[in-house]
Amino acid sequence: VSNDGELYTPSADVCGYPVSIFFIVFCPLGITIMALWTVLVLYFRYFLRFDDDLATSIYHTFVALCYLTPILGAVVADSWLGKFKTIIYLSIVYAIGQVVMAVSAIHDITDTDRDGTPDNLTLHIVLSMVGLLLIALGTGGIKPCVAAFGGDQFQDHQAKQRSTFFSVFYLCINGGSLLSTIITPILRGQECGIHSQQKCYPLAFGVPAALMVVALVVFIIGSGMYHKTEPQGNIMLDVCKCIGFAIKNRFRHRSSSYPKRMHWMDWAEEKYEKLLIAQIKMVLKVLFLYIPLPMFWTLFDQKGSRWTLQATTMDGNFVRLQNHPTTVNPILILTLVPIMDSVVYPLIKKCGLNFTPLRRMTVGMFLAAMAFVAAALVQIQIDVSVYNTSTLCGRWHKEYAAKSLKCVCRYFCLHYKTHKHRFPKHLFLLISRATFTITNGANTCEYSREFGFGSSYTLLIPSHFAWGPTCSESISGVEDIQPNSFHMGWQIPQYFLITCGEVVFSVTGLEFSYSQAPSNMKAVLQAGWLFTVAIGNFIVLIVAEIAQIEEQWAEFVLFASLLVAVCVIFSIMAYFYTYMDPAEIEAQFRDKGGKEESDKEELQMQKKDVVDHHNEDDEAKQTKM
């Protein structure tokens, strides 16, 4: 029996850890959402044909929703279904969303002319938005519950193992992230289709859906070993009512004639139990500390949008995304998490330094700021060699357009249909080799050429152009802008810094959120932690929209400066924070409550004895009379 009076189901241990933990940490629940994010911005940009700004905005809106819906999942878990059922039911919703996303990426659905491109993008956009909404709702139920559910499997004497669990859990999620970063782009790079072969986004989205089903089956297999805490009523509603009553009661008694109370929540004592008030105080104390945290996520999640788009203007095989520096992030996490837990933190402790969780998080925020400084330096070097090709493109079209043939330079200027693809106007920044068809209706001519990354070419069709097997030999090209020479590898330092910041910030934050939460509000506080991620992604949209900074490097510097300022504020708040032991505090209130109840019963018994004694005296007097 735990300190809070809950009965634990006996479970065998392996190396001091409950067996049930292995069904949680090694279950690949994290791989599917990571797999989606790996190619999502590319799907927006090159299938749905959103421009860079719209693709970035939709991406961050989706990420924000993924971290906003955990509040709903936490309420459902703590108040209604419990964590176990919530994970199962909303995992099904998640899988359905993945399937809808896979269907939305099938170009043959609306490719009536069978030219390889969808003719009704509206349908694909609607399906993809519905799929993303279901995924956001599903992941909202999973995110706050899985980590908290894993923490529930440990008993009181396994506090050290519980601390290690959060690092291992985060490690396994990023192991799934590494696999998705490598595998998903390979799946996308395959060509599939009924009438024409295209980049296989359906496969990239469909395989994670199948993996989600497998993960769910593995999770259910361990059902008999789990310790499942029962939902304790609508705790969120009780919390809101208690806070509302405290504010209302304090406002009613705002006169100086009423004595002050130690905490404003104490004004709820007239109606609510002191234990609930104490639990709310603990949660509010942590939530207040969360206020500066969204700025970290504002920077961190841009590695999937702005940094991805930054890589498209650099030299490197970006189409095969597994060679991109994003792969460095999960690799570094898999390396750094065990190093930090087993080497760095113990070494710091031996040196006599008190590297508390909040100090770790402060260091993580500073490292993220330095990562954006590195990104700004990279962007400056990119800007040296990359020109604005949009105005040149229009001029080339007018200058070299031929009357009898579709000018090849339209490949760069407009959405030009090749025999395989329909490319956006600046896709020449991404591809290394292209093959397309020149036609005048009756005759066709295929032309193939290598294109350098970031380069721009004008292809000239002479007036004496002759159709036939050797027609492509008469086409000549002029290199207007040389290929980029600044390689993607220069992004590795910024990914290294942001990953180091993630390890000491995010892993620590998960453990901190669980350790400082009352027993009946674990998932709620986990949702509060995830809510900071949602706010961070909204900040990206707000700052980018308000600032309207034309130079990308300047925007990176702005975000870095904001995080440094927030880091200073957070360090001051952390200095004055006092760590709590929720179980001990709750036990004290339970003991105090029990003692008060006992005192009340004793007082009632004494009153009853007095009344009985008086009754006996009255009866004696009446007898004498």
Side-chain angles (χ1 to χ4, degrees):
V1 181
S2 64
N3 289 337
D4 55 8
E6 292 184 351
L7 181 63
Y8 280 85
T9 303
S11 176
D13 291 349
V14 175
C15 299
Y17 293 85
V19 175
S20 57
I21 284 297
F22 296 94
F23 288 89
I24 299 174
V25 296
F26 293 112
C27 188
L29 290 173
I31 188 172
T32 54
I33 188 67
M34 297 296 182
L36 179 67
W37 288 353
T38 303
V39 298
L40 187 58
V41 73
L42 299 180
Y43 173 70
F44 290 155
R45 187 64 187 86
Y46 303 120
F47 187 89
L48 299 181
R49 303 179 202 162
F50 295 160
D51 60 30
D52 287 356
D53 291 335
L54 182 58
T56 299
S57 298
I58 298 296
Y59 174 86
H60 283 288
T61 301
F62 168 67
V63 175
L65 285 176
C66 287
Y67 288 97
L68 189 61
T69 52
I71 296 177
L72 176 62
V75 172
V76 171
D78 284 344
S79 307
W80 180 27
L81 294 177
K83 301 182 188 71
F84 178 74
K85 291 182 179 179
T86 301
I87 292 172
I88 292 178
Y89 293 158
L90 290 183
S91 291
I92 296 174
V93 174
Y94 191 116
I96 294 173
Q98 285 277 13
V99 172
V100 174
M101 277 297 297
V103 173
S104 74
I106 301 176
H107 66 277
D108 289 300
I109 293 178
T110 61
D111 186 15
T112 55
D113 57 3
R114 300 186 179 183
D115 65 347
T117 58
D119 298 315
N120 185 3
L121 275 179
T122 302
L123 176 62
H124 294 274
I125 292 173
V126 170
L127 285 175
S128 62
M129 294 303 111
V130 171
L132 291 177
L133 184 61
L134 291 174
I135 291 172
L137 180 62
T139 193
I142 298 171
K143 283 182 179 295
C145 297
V146 176
F149 186 70
D152 290 344
Q153 306 309 307
F154 295 90
Q155 300 185 34
D156 295 334
H157 67 278
Q158 297 174 309
K160 182 178 180 181
Q161 289 85 347
R162 181 190 289 123
S163 178
T164 305
F165 158 74
F166 288 102
S167 294
V168 176
F169 177 75
Y170 201 80
L171 195 69
C172 291
I173 288 179
N174 282 275
S177 174
L178 175 60
L179 292 176
S180 68
T181 304
I182 296 174
I183 296 174
T184 305
I186 295 177
L187 297 176
R188 169 188 171 270
Q190 305 301 311
E191 293 190 344
C192 60
I194 300 174
H195 305 303
S196 61
Q197 299 295 300
Q198 298 293 322
K199 293 296 181 183
C200 204
Y201 286 104
L203 188 63
F205 295 149
V207 170
L211 290 175
M212 190 65 193
V213 174
V214 173
L216 184 58
V217 171
V218 173
F219 180 75
I220 294 175
I221 289 175
S223 175
M225 306 179 192
Y226 297 143
H227 165 60
K228 305 167 187 174
T229 56
E230 293 296 326
Q232 303 181 20
N234 197 335
I235 186 65
M236 183 64 75
L237 181 61
D238 293 340
V239 169
C240 292
K241 286 183 176 179
C242 185
I243 293 175
F245 179 81
I247 296 174
K248 186 188 300 183
N249 199 32
R250 177 68 184 90
F251 182 77
R252 289 174 178 173
H253 301 84
R254 59 186 181 277
S255 173
S256 58
S257 60
Y258 294 98
K260 294 183 179 180
R261 303 190 182 184
M262 293 186 63
H263 192 279
W264 64 271
M265 277 301 305
D266 292 335
W267 288 96
E269 290 181 350
E270 284 84 350
K271 186 175 181 180
Y272 293 91
E273 296 181 357
K274 291 184 177 181
L275 175 60
L276 177 62
I277 295 173
Q279 292 171 330
I280 294 175
K281 287 180 182 178
M282 288 186 278
V283 170
L284 292 177
K285 187 178 180 181
V286 178
L287 291 178
F288 176 74
L289 200 63
Y290 283 174
I291 292 176
L293 302 188
M295 187 53 66
F296 173 87
W297 302 112
T298 298
L299 276 67
F300 179 79
D301 283 325
Q302 289 190 59
K303 66 184 178 64
S305 58
R306 290 299 192 194
W307 286 12
T308 299
L309 295 173
Q310 182 189 61
T312 65
T313 61
M314 303 175 73
D315 179 22
N317 192 354
F318 188 70
V319 173
R320 296 187 64 82
L321 195 60
Q322 66 270 24
N323 296 327
H324 182 250
T326 50
T327 310
V328 174
N329 179 256
I331 292 176
L332 286 175
I333 289 177
L334 293 174
T335 305
L336 290 176
V337 168
I339 291 177
M340 296 297 290
D341 282 344
S342 59
V343 179
V344 178
Y345 293 154
L347 184 61
I348 293 175
K349 187 176 181 180
K350 286 185 178 180
C351 293
L353 299 176
N354 187 16
F355 199 35
T356 62
L358 295 180
R359 290 178 181 175
R360 298 179 194 175
M361 294 169 68
T362 303
V363 171
M365 297 171 77
F366 180 77
L367 289 173
M370 293 302 100
F372 263 64
V373 172
L377 295 176
V378 169
Q379 188 63 44
I380 291 173
Q381 294 299 317
I382 293 173
D383 292 342
V384 173
S385 58
V386 175
Y387 296 86
N388 184 355
T389 61
S390 59
T391 57
L392 293 175
C393 179
R395 178 170 58 81
W396 292 336
H397 176 59
K398 294 178 182 179
E399 183 176 350
Y400 297 108
K403 294 182 179 180
S404 60
L405 300 174
K406 291 183 178 179
C407 178
V408 178
C409 75
R410 291 190 64 193
Y411 175 82
F412 304 119
C413 307
L414 307 173
H415 292 297
Y416 182 78
K417 295 184 179 180
T418 70
H419 74 294
K420 285 188 177 181
H421 305 282
R422 180 191 292 263
F423 293 111
K425 63 183 179 182
H426 67 277
L427 190 61
F428 59 93
L429 293 174
L430 305 181
I431 61 176
S432 58
R433 186 175 186 85
T435 302
F436 47 92
T437 302
I438 306 168
T439 179
N440 66 349
N443 301 303
T444 59
C445 178
E446 288 191 354
Y447 180 83
S448 180
R449 182 184 177 122
E450 293 286 343
F451 292 91
F453 289 88
S455 60
S456 178
Y457 299 86
T458 298
L459 303 183
L460 305 177
I461 303 175
S463 58
H464 58 273
F465 181 80
W467 303 99
T470 60
C471 60
S472 61
E473 296 179 1
S474 60
I475 299 176
S476 60
V478 178
E479 186 178 75
D480 299 283
I481 298 178
Q482 294 182 351
N484 290 345
S485 58
F486 201 62
H487 198 271
M488 283 183 189
W490 286 103
Q491 280 193 319
I492 292 178
Q494 66 199 58
Y495 276 96
F496 176 78
L497 288 171
I498 200 76
T499 304
C500 290
E502 178 187 6
V503 169
V504 295
F505 180 88
S506 186
V507 177
T508 304
L510 280 173
E511 178 188 349
F512 176 80
S513 298
Y514 187 89
S515 66
Q516 299 296 289
S519 59
N520 60 340
M521 301 182 191
K522 299 292 187 183
V524 171
L525 204 51
Q526 289 288 325
W529 166 258
L530 296 172
F531 182 70
T532 64
V533 185
I535 299 300
N537 280 271
F538 283 127
I539 292 175
V540 176
L541 304 177
I542 295 172
V543 172
E545 186 67 26
I546 294 177
Q548 292 292 323
I549 300 176
E550 294 184 1
E551 300 293 338
Q552 186 61 60
W553 69 266
E555 184 179 288
F556 287 155
V557 171
L558 173 63
F559 280 116
S561 302
L562 290 174
L563 185 56
V564 169
V566 169
C567 185
V568 174
I569 296 173
F570 180 75
S571 63
I572 296 173
M573 296 172 65
Y575 178 79
F576 292 99
Y577 182 83
T578 303
Y579 291 87
M580 306 173 292
D581 186 349
E584 182 178 342
I585 294 174
E586 290 173 332
Q588 291 176 355
F589 274 91
R590 287 191 177 95
D591 293 341
K592 186 177 179 180
K595 184 178 180 181
E596 290 178 352
E597 189 67 26
S598 177
D599 292 342
K600 288 181 181 179
E601 292 179 358
E602 184 177 350
L603 181 61
Q604 290 176 353
M605 290 294 295
Q606 291 176 354
K607 289 181 179 180
K608 184 176 183 300
D609 291 340
V610 172
V611 172
D612 292 342
H613 180 69
H614 283 300
N615 291 337
E616 289 176 358
D617 290 343
D618 292 340
E619 290 177 359
K621 289 179 181 179
Q622 291 176 358
T623 301
K624 289 180 178 180
M625 292 176 64

